[in-house]
Amino acid sequence: TTKKDYTNCLMNQVLPGLGGYTPLEDFTWGRTHLDGRTGRRIVLDWKKAIEKRAPVQSDKALMVLRQVFDYAIDQGWLETPNPALGSKHSKAKHQVEHHPCIEWDELPLFFERLQKNEPNGSFAVVSAVKVLFLTFLRVNSLSGLRWDELDLEKDVWVVPASRMKNRKEFLVPLTDPLKDVLEQLRELNGDQEYAFFTGRIGKYPHMNPSSINAHLIKMGYKGMLVGHGVRQLPMTYGQDILKYPSEVIQRQLSHTIGDKVRQAYDSSQMLDERRGFMIAWSDAMLERGLIV
């Protein structure tokens, strides 16, 4: 996926903007051209043009170009310094927009509306929203659940690496409320491969991941809540209200912990601690009004 992403960046941003047939030496940092610009200035002007329409993409494009020039320098085709060097001055000046999420005190009303299901969403989609709040998985990881991923002997849901952002297999402890939701879903889709099977013909053999956000919008939460935003809840209230340490919660969020050295040598999963947190979290969701 990274290779495809970088290739698209090169073909759609770098080559059209800088010219695929431009000699490398034209980008030499201090080389002055007829228009008075140096190689460095040409690169920065190119990035600024992208930044006007896509700030985040402009930073990525500069990073990809920097790698291209690093290779050229290593091969002796371009003089140092790298004209696509990143700096605090070249970084796009944009404000990061966080995924919207409701507050802890707003959960009872939300769960009441979810249970009423006024948008008349399918049982699979409503169940997926409940699983989302019980597991705070990313919607792409959640929507493709297959029944054979549930290890009932070990009481875990084994999410395959192919559906995880970090491409590593991930374990979700199965709490009683989560199992209740899944068992009701099994009564409907137990004869299907996928738990969130909807019967609709489309891009996916299961519920479209976008169905969760679409249902939240139909519930009246447009601009107030998205599926990914739910991940903010355990990180904030898991610490403030349930008093669990940040590291336990972050591991259950599948966040990377520590620097590269720790990542290389620390293979612990803290599964017992995570299971305790997930039980406490599920109980808290029930107290907030979630009906399973």
Side-chain angles (χ1 to χ4, degrees):
T1 57
T2 300
K3 180 180 178 181
K4 181 179 179 180
D5 188 32
Y6 286 10
T7 299
N8 288 338
C9 182
L10 284 168
M11 301 304 292
N12 299 328
Q13 303 285 356
V14 176
L15 297 183
L18 295 174
Y21 293 98
T22 306
L24 276 169
E25 57 264 26
D26 283 5
F27 298 108
T28 301
W29 185 290
R31 180 172 179 173
T32 304
H33 295 264
L34 293 177
D35 61 2
R37 295 189 300 168
T38 62
R40 170 65 167 174
R41 188 72 260 164
I42 290 174
V43 170
L44 291 180
D45 288 348
W46 161 77
K47 181 186 182 296
K48 190 169 290 293
I50 301 174
E51 188 176 326
K52 290 179 180 179
R53 64 177 187 274
V56 175
Q57 184 64 30
S58 72
D59 287 337
K60 178 187 288 187
L62 184 67
M63 179 269 292
V64 172
L65 181 60
R66 183 163 59 249
Q67 293 186 32
V68 172
F69 286 155
D70 276 343
Y71 181 74
I73 291 170
D74 183 65
Q75 297 298 311
W77 302 334
L78 181 67
E79 295 180 5
T80 58
N82 189 321
L85 182 69
S87 71
K88 64 179 181 180
H89 302 293
S90 64
K91 190 173 180 62
K93 295 176 176 59
H94 66 279
Q95 190 166 359
V96 176
E97 294 185 4
H98 296 286
H99 297 282
C101 183
I102 57 179
E103 300 293 334
W104 187 256
D105 291 339
E106 296 175 286
L107 285 174
L109 178 59
F110 173 82
F111 288 139
E112 180 182 335
R113 289 179 176 178
L114 179 66
Q115 194 63 27
K116 286 183 179 179
N117 191 21
E118 291 181 354
N120 198 29
S122 70
F123 186 75
V125 172
V126 173
S127 297
V129 176
K130 293 181 180 181
V131 172
L132 172 68
F133 275 84
L134 289 169
T135 66
F136 35 89
L137 280 170
R138 294 178 175 88
V139 293
N140 287 319
S141 301
L142 182 155
S143 59
L145 167 63
R146 298 193 315 271
W147 292 116
D148 61 9
E149 295 171 9
L150 303 178
D151 188 335
L152 299 181
E153 289 187 7
K154 296 182 179 179
D155 249 6
V156 292
W157 170 5
V158 185
V159 185
S162 60
R163 291 211 313 276
M164 295 299 298
K165 182 178 180 180
N166 60 8
R167 292 298 184 260
K168 295 181 180 179
E169 185 179 87
F170 186 66
L171 302 181
V172 178
L174 293 175
T175 63
D176 287 342
L178 177 57
K179 285 189 285 189
D180 287 343
V181 174
L182 294 176
E183 279 306 310
Q184 293 175 48
L185 197 57
R186 193 187 292 271
E187 293 179 10
L188 175 69
N189 287 336
D191 58 341
Q192 301 292 333
E193 178 182 3
Y194 295 95
F196 298 110
F197 176 78
T198 60
R200 295 182 178 179
I201 299 175
K203 180 179 178 181
Y204 302 90
H206 49 73
M207 175 190 73
N208 191 313
S210 65
S211 296
I212 289 178
N213 284 338
H215 188 71
L216 296 177
I217 291 173
K218 292 175 183 176
M219 286 178 61
Y221 285 87
K222 183 177 182 179
M224 301 167 59
L225 174 66
V226 295
H228 197 86
V230 173
R231 292 168 61 81
Q232 298 176 37
L233 291 171
M235 195 67 251
T236 302
Y237 301 109
Q239 296 179 81
D240 290 349
I241 294 179
L242 301 184
K243 305 304 180 183
Y244 271 80
S246 169
E247 181 169 346
V248 173
I249 301 171
Q250 289 197 63
R251 284 181 182 271
Q252 194 54 51
L253 283 163
S254 188
H255 285 173
T256 300
I257 305 293
D259 56 22
K260 291 183 179 180
V261 174
R262 180 175 180 184
Q263 293 168 34
Y265 291 98
D266 184 0
S267 59
S268 65
Q269 297 195 52
M270 300 182 70
L271 188 57
D272 289 341
E273 292 86 347
R274 286 161 51 194
R275 186 180 298 279
F277 169 67
M278 292 299 281
I279 292 173
W281 180 260
S282 293
D283 290 344
M285 291 298 96
L286 297 186
E287 291 174 3
R288 292 280 88 190
L290 175 63
I291 296 176
V292 297

